[in-house]
Amino acid sequence: ELNENKDCNLILARSGLDHESMDEYSIKMALNTLTAFVNPNKMEARVNVTIQDKNDNTPRFMYDAPYNKLVKDRYLATVSEYTTIQEEIYEVTATDKDSGEFGKIKYEISPDTDTTTRQYFRIDPDTGVVMVVKPFENVPDDALPFRLIITARDNPGQMDDS
């Protein structure tokens, strides 16, 4: 079917196209035109279709430490009271199947993390590296053990589509 610009619209009856599964298709089409009836060599056309990506996948954290056999879907790190400011204590990793900006990931400490805990840590939004930003002197007992909630978001800068 042709639109007003005489471009062909491909209508899928049974399945959708997914850029991550296959980003290009070559389609053989039978043409029902007057020219095709006059010249049978023009009854077929091959059309290459490029599938554009959309933000249809969410980031997934990677849990590949040996302890993840026992403790699923968690990162564990030990810090001592002598850990220095700006010391890197852990690096979280997430992947996203989308491509380009849709697959770019930004990390942050979730607002759901306890306020006291948030005062002691920072995460690099690009690398996922967690650092200490405050000495562990006089940490209230009720703040221990620290529990950070880290979020990974894709398509940064597009709040409605991340």
Side-chain angles (χ1 to χ4, degrees), residues 85-105:
I85 293 177
Q86 298 303 319
E87 186 173 333
E88 297 178 5
I89 58 166
Y90 206 87
E91 182 176 356
V92 299
T93 306
T95 60
D96 189 312
K97 291 182 181 179
D98 291 317
S99 62
E101 283 298 307
F102 295 136
K104 188 174 180 181
I105 297 172

Side-chain angles (χ1 to χ4, degrees), residues 30-48:
L31 304 175
N32 292 322
T33 65
L34 195 53
T35 307
F37 286 114
V38 173
N39 185 350
N41 292 333
K42 294 188 177 187
M43 289 187 102
E44 289 183 358
R46 184 155 304 279
V47 178
N48 293 324

Side-chain angles (χ1 to χ4, degrees), residues 35-135:
T35 307
F37 286 114
V38 173
N39 185 350
N41 292 333
K42 294 188 177 187
M43 289 187 102
E44 289 183 358
R46 184 155 304 279
V47 178
N48 293 324
V49 178
T50 301
I51 308 305
Q52 294 182 335
D53 198 8
K54 66 178 188 173
N55 193 19
D56 57 344
N57 294 289
T58 57
R60 302 266 185 237
F61 281 103
M62 305 298 294
Y63 302 102
D64 53 7
Y67 60 77
N68 288 129
K69 292 177 183 172
L70 298 172
V71 181
K72 305 280 185 205
D73 300 338
R74 297 279 186 265
Y75 293 109
L76 301 176
T78 303
V79 292
S80 78
E81 61 185 304
Y82 306 108
T83 304
T84 59
I85 293 177
Q86 298 303 319
E87 186 173 333
E88 297 178 5
I89 58 166
Y90 206 87
E91 182 176 356
V92 299
T93 306
T95 60
D96 189 312
K97 291 182 181 179
D98 291 317
S99 62
E101 283 298 307
F102 295 136
K104 188 174 180 181
I105 297 172
K106 291 285 187 183
Y107 302 94
E108 62 186 16
I109 296 175
S110 170
D112 294 335
T113 299
D114 179 73
T115 306
T116 302
T117 300
R118 291 175 61 86
Q119 295 173 16
Y120 289 92
F121 302 96
R122 177 178 94 70
I123 189 165
D124 183 291
D126 297 315
T127 65
V129 170
V130 179
M131 292 172 269
V132 174
V133 294
K134 182 178 177 181

